[in-house]
Structure formats: structure tokens, C-alpha cells
Amino acid sequence: MESAGIPGLLLDTAPDAIVVSRADGLITLANRRAHDMFGYPAGELVGRSVDDLVPDDVRDRHPEQRAAYIDGGPTPLRRLPLRGKRRDGSVFPVEVSLSAVTAGDETYVTAVLRDDTAQREAARTRALLASVVQSSHDAIVTTDLDGVVLSWNPGAEMLYGHPASDMVGKSIDAIIPVERRGDEEQVRLLVRLGGRVDRYRSIRLTAKGEMIAVSTLISPLLDEHGTMIGTTTITRDISDRERAEARVQAILDAAPDAMLGVAESGEVVLVNAEAERLFDHPRYDLLHMPLPVLLPDGLPPVSAVLRTGGDSTPLDTVRATADPAQPADQRWAKRRAVRRGGAEIPVDIACSSLHTDSGVVVVVVVRDITERLAAEKERRRLREEADRQRLEARMQQAQRLESLGQLAGGIAHDFNNLLAVILNYASFIVEDAAGTPPAADAEQIARAARRGSDLTHQLLAFARREVIRPRPLNLNVVVTEVHQMLERSLGEHIALTVRTTAGLPSVMADPGQLEQVLVNLAVNARDAMPTGGRLTIDTAPVRVDGEYAGRIALTPGNYVRLRVSDTGTGMPQEVIDKAFEPFFTTKPSGQGTGLGLATVYGIITQAGGTVQIYSESGIGTTFTILLPATEAEAQAAAPEESAAGLTGHGATVLVVEDEAALREVTSRILRRGGYTVLVASSGDEALRLAAENEVDVLLTDVIMPGMLGRDLATAILRGSPGTKVLFMSGYAQPVLTTHGTLSADVHLLEKPFTSAELMRALHDELQARP
């Protein structure tokens, strides 16, 4: 044991560590507290050198310092701040008091040691706390139980304008307005009775006499024994914050949309003026109202989601917020809002989250879309009305063109009969009086008749009543053939460019009619470019989808596009609207018939296609034609043969024609051509003649009073199946044709015809196989 007996017991009960050593540093006595302080088991310090208790960095100097202390006539040294070394090598601060005593020839040094760690930490903490108080921007003031100021930090000086020297020892009432002193006394009483009072809003008075809004926290001031000796007040100026909050509220109230702040509990904690108007609730009623009462459909999922449940169900934990990069239609969601009284209105809602000191607040922007929906409904109505009007206008135009077509077809029928008589009698005169003045006059008559014939063909083409003989053909071939002719006829001042697309699918059309379309459009373009320009013709395959097909009245599918563009004067809209009407022209009198574009329209629509015009005045015009594509292979045209030298060789022809003059001229041509001719003016007379005579060929008009030509042919073929049938007409639709197309088993001679055309047609009919 390091000690024994009563002195040893006294040493072991001492609160401080005691170590006794000889002049050479050998420890002769150490109490229990010394062993605990340095981390040694009981009794192990005795016999060790006191140098073992000194840190390594000063151990070499310690024997010298010890000897100097003893040799200098040692005097007691009090509370030396040194460092000690524990058995595990850790170093700690220690406070040491030394005294020396001589017994016989030996000097002993008694060291009383006290661990200084706790004291130093406490001192450091006190210094840190004092520094915090001194550097705090908040006003920190301590007062005694009577309200007398004990301390006044720089933050208080800045806030109130009073220096510490003026306030320490004075009553705190100097900064409290008179009308507030009773309330503040009640607060101090609460602190004395129950402890700390959480932050509350109050008013303070500055040295200049100004009132400021503050947030105050009061807590008890305790001494070292835990006894309350006063209060500590921490105060913060919130005047700027309140002004900022007022500005924010003013901004919110000025917002055109209703805005709600929703706490995580699902209650409304913030509203603006527009929200009061929208929901028809005063502000104090809206605050703390459950959100589902106002928005029964909840919030958009892009921001926050209301759990399904009662009115008081809280919001789910808000994590997602509205992403500004998202399109507006994804950040806004359509919902219902409920006004006071239960009336529902349609609204758009957008949300974002705001992290505050009291938790996450979801900011909900609510926009009344009643007027917008009404406007959209009105726009839809107006759009539908406009579409209906456009459709009606298109139908009216189609009906007008159809009526004009019927009129043109009727005129062409009678006109063709007259032209056939004029043309052929003129030909008789030319043949019989060749080389004489009457022959020249007759040639002029025949030329005028042919021009009239061309006019009737244009009328029939527009009216879609001309008999066509379509076949699969490659549009590129037609364009290329017409290209060569147009280069010669357009003139050098027109630059013609043709672009064709390889691998073009075939179309089902009459090649002669397509050539007429190209010529008419090219002539139109030439007239629109009197000083020169550029004409472009191109072809391409296109696919028409359902949407576009609905706009241009086509069936969706594959089409071939023919586009003719010029750089001419262009057309205003009022001209475009009437461009396809027959006899409408903007050219001076005598320079155009007004049938060119009408013919184009009739030919293309009869072929199942459509033609569209795009034009701007001063820029040019583009005609876009779409024709249905077909999978059939294109066919080459058969070469034409001369009709010279063809005779009837006595074959019997039954001519049936209700027009007397035409009947007479037709009979005369056939007799001169070597045919035996039977003549009938009606179907009944023709049946009688057929029954009495052997007829090789029936040549009959198509449209006759009493009996149509096709019915007559059917009746004669029942009795004489070997009889050939050749129809003649200037207006065969719809008697002989199907959708304007002549059947393969029907042979037709179109009026007005020449003697050569009549002889060729009869020869071909007789040569055809039964």
C-alpha cells in the first residue's frame, strides 16, 4: 500500500491527488486519487520516478527543473498550470501546488494535483457564450426579478439605440411602451411561475421614440445553484419582415389568379384576394378550411396528391413539384372548384411546393376557366359554322357546275346534229366543185363547223358528258409528248421546264383528254406571262391520307400528281372562285371562250381526280392535279389508219335518225360509199324495216323520242343476232356509258362526224369479229 494507518486513510479521502517524491524524483507516497488521475492500479506509483508522470516533450528538462527548485531554497508554489501524462500516454491539463520538506538528510517534495480539464472547458464555454452574446445580431438583455437591466449586448445597442452604459442598472421599462407594460409584466410573471415563454410578437420603443415590431423569447436566468435570479430576453426586429410580408401579401392580392397555401395537414394557411372572390368566402373563413371543401377533385398529381378520405385528411408527403420545363398543359390540370353555396365552376390548377420553418406548404394557383371554355365553345361553333358554310359553298358550286353541265350537254346534243349537217354538206360542195370559188366558200363553212365541233367537245368535257375511252397510261409519256409540242407553240419568251419522277404508277384516263388539259393550262400560263416568264410542269406519286382527302373530297389512297406552275400575273381570290365556270374569262372580248379551265375541271373530275388552284397576284399560279393511281400496266396507243378507199361493197345499213337533215346527209354519204341504205326516222319504223329486210349494220342515233337507240338495238338483235350495231351521238351519256366510260362491247361514232370518219367506223364494224 502507498499509505497506511490513519494518515493513509486521510490521504485516500482527500479530493485532490497527492504525490510525495524524493529529491531524485522517486515516488515514496501516492494516494488513491493520484492513481485514478494517472490511470495506474493501486500501489503501482510508489517506486516509480515522478518523471513518468510528465509528457514526453518536457521530460528531459524535468530533472533539471526539479533540482533547481530544491537547490534554490524551495518555497511553496501555488496552482501551477502544467500538463500530466497518464499511463496510456494521453496528456491532460493539471493544476499543481508544490511544497518541500527536509527530514534528516533527505528532502521530500509534496505535489498536490488537480485535474484542470473540467475547469478549462467550463471557462472556454463561458468565454464562447460571452462571445456569442456579444456578437449576436439579436438583442440579448438580462434583468433581475424586478426588471432592472443586468447586461446589455451590442445587438441591444443596435436595436434600441441605447448604449449599455446607459441601460445597465436601469429599468427595462425604458424600452417598453406605456400601453404594453402591463402585458410585459404578465409575461415576466409567467416566466417566474412556469419557465420559458416561446416567441411572441410585441412592440418596443427605441431611443428616438420610434415604435418597432419585434419577436421576443423570454427564459429564466439561473445562478450556479439553479435559483432563478432574473430573466433573459432575446429580441429580434421583425419590422422589415412584416413589411416584406405585407409586400408579398400585396403582390398575392394583385395576382389575377386565386392562390392558396396548403399545409401538410391539408388545411388552407394562406389566401389572396382573388381566392376570396373566386370561392366567395371571406379570408378568415378560408384560413384553416380543409382543401377538399374548396377543391373536391384534389390537386394535380404532378405536384401533390390528396389522399382519398374525409375533409380533414392531410396531404401526402410533398416531394414532387411542378417542373417549369414541362409544357403548360402538363403543369395545369382541369378540376372543379366549389363556391360558397355549393355552386361548381371549372378551374385549371397548378401547384408547387414551398419549404418553410413550419413545414412544406403547397402553393395552389386556381384559375377560373369559365369564360375560356365559353370562348372555346364559341370558337368551335364558329369553326363548325365556317366549315358548314364552306361545305355549302362547295356544294352550291358543284350544283351550279352540274346545272351548267346539264345545260351544256343539252345544247351540245342539238348543236352536234346541226354541225354534222353543215360539215358534210360543205364537204359535198368542196368535192363536187373542187377548184372553183364555191369550193373555197364551202371550205370556210367546213372550217367554221370544225371550230364549232371543238367548242361542243369542250362543253361536253366540262359537263363530264363526253364519251371517253380511258386506258392505263403513264403520265410521264403524255407530259413528254406534249412538252415537244409546247416548246414550239409557247414562244421563246417562256422558259419551259419539265420534271418527271421515274417509276410513276399508271393512271386510267383518256390520253387525248390529258393532252388537252396540259395544252389548256400551258396556254393559260402563256397568256398570264405576256412579257415572259417560267412555266414548270412536274409529276410525282403522292399518298392522300384521310384528313387531306376529306378537305378536297377525294378517297384516301395513292395518286399521281401533275403540277403546272407559272410566274405570271396570278389571280385574286374572286377570280379563283369562278375560274372553272364555263364562259368566265378575264381576257378581252374575242380573245378567249372561257372554256379552257372549265374543260380542265370536267376532264379531271370525270377521271376521278381533283384540281386545285393556288395563286397570288404578281407572283404566279400553280395548278395541282391529282389522279387516282392504278396497278394496271400502261398501254401504247394503236396507230391510226387512213379511211381512203373504203367502200361498202353493197352491205345493207339501216340508218335510224330523228333529225331529218342529218338522216339525209348520212344516207347520201353511205350511198356514195357503196352501201345499200335503209332509212328510218323512229324506232318503230326501224323495227318494221329490219323485219322486212336483211340488215348488215344498224347505224342508230342514241337519243330519240319514243325509243332510245340502245333499246332499238336490243330488239333487233333478238330477231337477227348477227346484225352489227354502230351508235352515233353527240351526247351519249348516260344512255350508253357507265360513269362516262364507254363499254368495250359498245361502238360509238361521235357527232359531228365527217364522211371519212363514218366510212372508217362502218368498215371497222363490219370487219370486227362477231
Side-chain angles (χ1 to χ4, degrees):
M1 293 290 293
E2 70 279 11
S3 58
I6 292 177
L9 293 175
L10 292 175
L11 288 174
D12 285 342
T13 59
D16 297 327
I18 299 174
V19 176
V20 180
S21 61
R22 296 188 318 203
D24 60 0
L26 186 68
I27 297 174
T28 61
L29 182 67
N31 71 348
R32 188 183 304 278
R33 179 74 182 107
H35 285 80
D36 293 341
M37 179 180 292
F38 289 95
Y40 286 89
E44 284 198 11
L45 283 176
V46 175
R48 284 181 173 274
S49 173
V50 73
D51 294 340
D52 293 343
L53 307 181
V54 177
D56 295 341
D57 58 340
V58 296
R59 179 179 297 177
D60 293 341
R61 299 192 303 271
H62 190 257
E64 182 180 334
Q65 291 171 349
R66 184 174 64 249
Y69 170 69
I70 295 173
D71 292 343
T75 58
L77 298 177
R78 303 294 184 188
R79 307 185 70 168
L80 298 173
L82 300 175
R83 293 178 298 152
K85 177 184 176 184
R86 295 188 181 93
R87 185 185 182 190
D88 60 7
S90 60
V91 177
F92 63 97
V94 64
E95 190 178 81
V96 180
S97 297
L98 298 176
S99 63
V101 61
T102 303
D105 296 333
E106 191 70 47
T107 299
Y108 294 92
V109 178
T110 301
V112 179
L113 303 97
R114 178 175 297 169
D115 189 346
D116 199 26
T117 303
Q119 289 83 350
R120 289 192 183 186
E121 289 295 330
R124 189 160 45 248
T125 300
R126 286 193 297 272
L128 179 61
L129 180 59
S131 176
V132 170
V133 171
Q134 288 300 108
S135 62
S136 174
H137 292 291
D138 292 335
I140 302 176
V141 177
T142 60
T143 61
D144 62 13
L145 294 176
D146 296 325
V148 176
V149 176
L150 300 176
S151 66
W152 188 270
N153 78 332
E157 292 181 344
M158 293 177 60
L159 179 61
Y160 301 119
H162 294 285
S165 58
D166 290 350
M167 289 303 298
V168 174
K170 302 289 182 66
S171 173
I172 194 68
D173 287 345
I175 61 171
I176 300 176
V178 176
E179 65 274 11
R180 293 275 184 162
R181 289 175 183 173
D183 296 337
E184 293 297 324
E185 181 59 34
Q186 291 295 322
V187 172
R188 286 196 292 270
L189 179 59
L190 287 174
V191 173
R192 288 196 293 269
L193 294 177
R196 174 189 174 111
V197 173
D198 287 335
R199 284 194 179 273
Y200 65 95
R201 184 188 179 281
S202 187
I203 300 295
R204 291 292 183 264
L205 194 62
T206 68
K208 296 180 180 180
E210 297 174 345
M211 297 286 188
I212 58 172
V214 296
S215 174
T216 301
L217 173 68
I218 298 181
S219 58
L221 178 63
L222 307 177
D223 63 9
E224 64 271 16
H225 304 296
T227 302
M228 182 177 177
I229 60 173
T231 60
T232 299
T233 304
I234 302 175
T235 306
R236 180 175 298 169
D237 185 2
I238 60 171
S239 300
D240 290 341
R241 190 182 76 183
E242 288 197 344
R243 283 191 291 271
E245 289 176 351
R247 286 195 296 269
V248 171
Q249 187 63 50
I251 293 173
L252 293 178
D253 287 341
D257 296 323
M259 300 182 70
L260 304 174
V262 184
E264 291 180 279
S265 63
E267 292 184 344
V268 176
V269 295
L270 180 146
V271 297
N272 70 342
E274 185 62 21
E276 294 182 85
R277 187 204 64 77
L278 178 66
F279 294 104
D280 196 25
H281 285 284
R283 191 174 304 232
Y284 56 81
D285 281 352
L286 288 173
L287 291 174
H288 306 295
M289 183 178 289
L291 184 66
V293 174
L294 303 173
L295 301 172
D297 297 330
L299 299 181
V302 292
S303 299
V305 182
L306 275 175
R307 293 197 185 104
T308 56
D311 290 346
S312 61
T313 55
L315 288 170
D316 281 331
T317 302
V318 181
R319 297 186 184 276
T321 60
D323 182 1
Q326 287 181 324
D329 58 354
Q330 294 182 20
R331 286 186 281 123
W332 289 86
K334 190 175 292 184
R335 295 288 192 276
R336 294 173 299 149
V338 179
R339 295 167 56 87
R340 184 168 60 175
E344 293 185 352
I345 56 174
V347 294
D348 274 350
I349 297 176
C351 301
S352 63
S353 63
L354 179 65
H355 294 267
T356 67
D357 294 340
S358 57
V360 176
V361 173
V362 177
V363 180
V364 184
V365 181
V366 185
R367 178 175 298 171
D368 186 354
I369 59 173
T370 303
E371 294 183 359
R372 191 186 80 189
L373 293 179
E376 290 177 354
K377 183 178 180 181
E378 179 64 14
R379 281 197 298 271
R380 284 196 301 270
R381 188 191 68 78
L382 292 175
R383 188 163 53 247
E384 291 171 356
E385 177 67 17
D387 291 343
R388 185 183 62 80
Q389 290 178 355
R390 281 195 297 270
L391 180 61
E392 287 181 353
R394 190 180 297 118
M395 292 178 62
Q396 289 173 0
Q397 183 185 30
Q399 290 171 355
R400 184 170 64 252
L401 294 176
E402 181 68 21
S403 299
L404 289 171
Q406 290 179 356
L407 176 62
I411 293 174
H413 174 261
D414 294 335
F415 196 38
N416 277 331
N417 284 342
L418 297 176
L419 289 174
V421 174
I422 295 172
L423 182 62
N424 284 286
Y425 275 112
S427 298
F428 293 158
I429 297 173
V430 171
E431 292 176 8
D432 295 341
T436 65
D441 295 340
E443 183 60 39
Q444 292 296 327
I445 295 172
R447 186 176 294 111
R450 284 191 291 270
R451 289 178 58 192
S453 175
D454 292 340
L455 184 60
T456 58
H457 279 298
Q458 286 184 307
L459 281 171
L460 290 172
F462 157 71
R464 289 176 290 172
R465 281 158 175 79
E466 186 175 34
V467 176
I468 62 174
R469 294 173 175 83
R471 59 182 175 85
L473 56 90
N474 188 325
L475 192 57
N476 286 343
V477 175
V478 178
V479 170
T480 302
E481 292 176 352
V482 173
H483 178 200
Q484 299 170 358
M485 178 185 66
L486 293 179
E487 280 188 327
R488 296 189 299 269
S489 60
L490 287 178
E492 295 181 355
H493 65 298
I494 303 295
L496 176 60
T497 302
V498 173
R499 292 194 295 265
T500 58
T501 302
L504 206 64
S506 301
V507 296
M508 187 68 71
D510 188 315
Q513 286 194 324
L514 287 186
E515 289 178 2
Q516 186 178 2
V517 166
L518 285 168
V519 170
N520 285 355
L521 292 179
V523 170
N524 232 46
R526 181 198 62 191
D527 295 341
M529 299 183 288
T531 60
R534 184 173 61 256
L535 176 63
T536 304
I537 302 174
D538 66 87
T539 62
V542 295
R543 173 73 183 176
V544 176
D545 59 19
E547 180 184 356
Y548 184 68
R551 294 205 302 266
I552 60 175
L554 280 182
T555 302
N558 294 319
Y559 287 78
V560 175
R561 185 190 69 203
L562 171 64
R563 191 164 52 192
V564 179
S565 303
D566 66 62
T567 58
T569 56
M571 293 184 282
Q573 187 60 47
E574 58 269 19
V575 173
I576 294 176
D577 292 339
K578 297 181 179 181
F580 293 129
E581 293 185 4
F583 307 115
F584 173 79
T585 180
T586 58
K587 298 175 183 178
S589 178
Q591 295 187 20
T593 63
L595 287 173
L597 294 183
T599 302
V600 170
Y601 175 84
I603 291 173
I604 297 303
T605 53
Q606 190 174 19
T610 184
V611 54
Q612 302 290 325
I613 303 176
Y614 175 77
S615 183
E616 291 188 26
S617 296
I619 295 178
T621 301
T622 297
F623 287 87
T624 301
I625 295 171
L626 295 180
L627 291 170
T630 179
E631 296 181 358
E633 292 293 331
Q635 298 176 2
E640 294 187 1
E641 297 179 4
S642 173
L646 298 179
T647 60
H649 301 291
T652 301
V653 178
L654 174 57
V655 178
V656 186
E657 170 61 60
D658 62 307
E659 181 70 34
L662 183 58
R663 186 171 62 245
E664 177 61 30
V665 74
T666 303
S667 300
R668 184 172 174 179
I669 293 171
L670 294 177
R671 290 191 181 96
R672 293 176 63 173
Y675 286 95
T676 300
V677 180
L678 303 176
V679 178
S681 61
S682 66
D684 293 335
E685 186 179 357
L687 288 175
R688 180 180 59 78
L689 290 173
E692 296 173 352
N693 301 275
E694 184 177 346
V695 177
D696 295 309
V697 181
L698 171 64
L699 176 62
T700 179
D701 191 12
V702 173
I703 300 176
M704 298 182 297
M707 182 180 294
L708 295 177
R710 188 157 196 168
D711 297 334
L712 172 62
T714 303
I716 290 177
L717 288 174
R718 277 200 297 264
S720 302
T723 304
K724 305 289 187 177
V725 178
L726 177 61
F727 295 101
M728 55 179 176
S729 178
Y731 176 42
Q733 285 201 59
V735 179
L736 293 181
T737 63
T738 303
H739 304 296
T741 302
L742 196 68
S743 301
D745 60 339
V746 176
H747 301 160
L748 176 68
L749 176 63
E750 294 183 62
K751 299 176 183 178
F753 49 79
T754 65
S755 58
E757 290 170 341
L758 175 59
M759 295 298 291
R760 164 56 63 186
L762 280 172
H763 177 270
D764 291 344
E765 188 66 27
L766 287 169
Q767 295 299 316
R769 292 182 179 179

